Amino acid sequence: MVHKEESQVEILRICATVSKKVGLSQARKALRELLSEVNVNNEIKVAELLTILDELGNNILRHGRKGLICISAYKKDSKVGIRMVAEDRGAGIDDLNKALSPGYSEDRGMGMGLNLLKSICDDLRIASLLGGGAYVEVWKWI
């Protein structure tokens, strides 16, 4: 007998630029639009997703100066999954294991951002890109 994994289907994707000029306003607007489209209105879940977005965006602003955040909604059975992908072309992350440790910061910050993401997301994937930059992908299922 072959076990077929139930698939998830992307239902909507919105991307927004994050930069010193626009800050996080476009990304926050994109997230709110996406959540409205897929009928996610639980205040606690919305607050968690905004926190995730703020952490991703602030990392871009602090370390990459400019980047892109793409937010997607997926449907799997009765659940909605929100996927956020943040990319920048900054210096990258020297040591991914250290970067996920509480209190570690490359720029005298509090060092809680990536660790916070790890604690409130259902899945977190980070890569330091060849040639500079970072890629962070997070999932939150609702």
Side-chain angles (χ1 to χ4, degrees), residues 35-122:
L35 294 176
S36 176
E37 285 291 320
V38 296
N39 297 317
V40 173
N41 51 22
N42 177 300
E43 289 181 31
I44 293 171
K45 296 298 180 189
V46 170
E48 287 175 341
L49 291 163
L50 285 167
T51 299
I52 292 167
L53 179 76
D54 285 348
E55 287 300 327
L56 294 171
N58 285 323
N59 280 344
I60 288 173
L61 294 173
R62 288 175 72 180
H63 303 290
R65 293 192 182 89
K66 182 178 179 184
L68 185 69
I69 296 178
C70 290
I71 308 158
S72 305
Y74 289 79
K75 184 90 170 153
K76 182 175 180 178
D77 301 326
S78 63
K79 289 188 173 186
V80 172
I82 304 299
R83 175 182 179 237
M84 293 186 216
V85 174
E87 290 187 62
D88 68 57
R89 294 293 177 247
I93 303 169
D94 289 334
D95 187 327
L96 293 173
N97 287 327
K98 279 186 182 178
L100 289 167
S101 300
Y104 177 79
S105 175
E106 292 181 354
D107 70 348
R108 294 191 218 161
M110 292 178 61
M112 298 305 291
L114 292 178
N115 192 52
L116 173 65
L117 286 178
K118 187 170 71 172
S119 70
I120 62 175
C121 295
D122 294 313

Side-chain angles (χ1 to χ4, degrees), residues 3 6 10 19 58 71 75 87 107 111 113 120 123 126 142:
H3 175 70
E6 297 174 55
E10 182 178 64
S19 68
N58 285 323
I71 308 158
K75 184 90 170 153
E87 290 187 62
D107 70 348
I120 62 175
D123 191 17
I126 303 173
I142 300 169

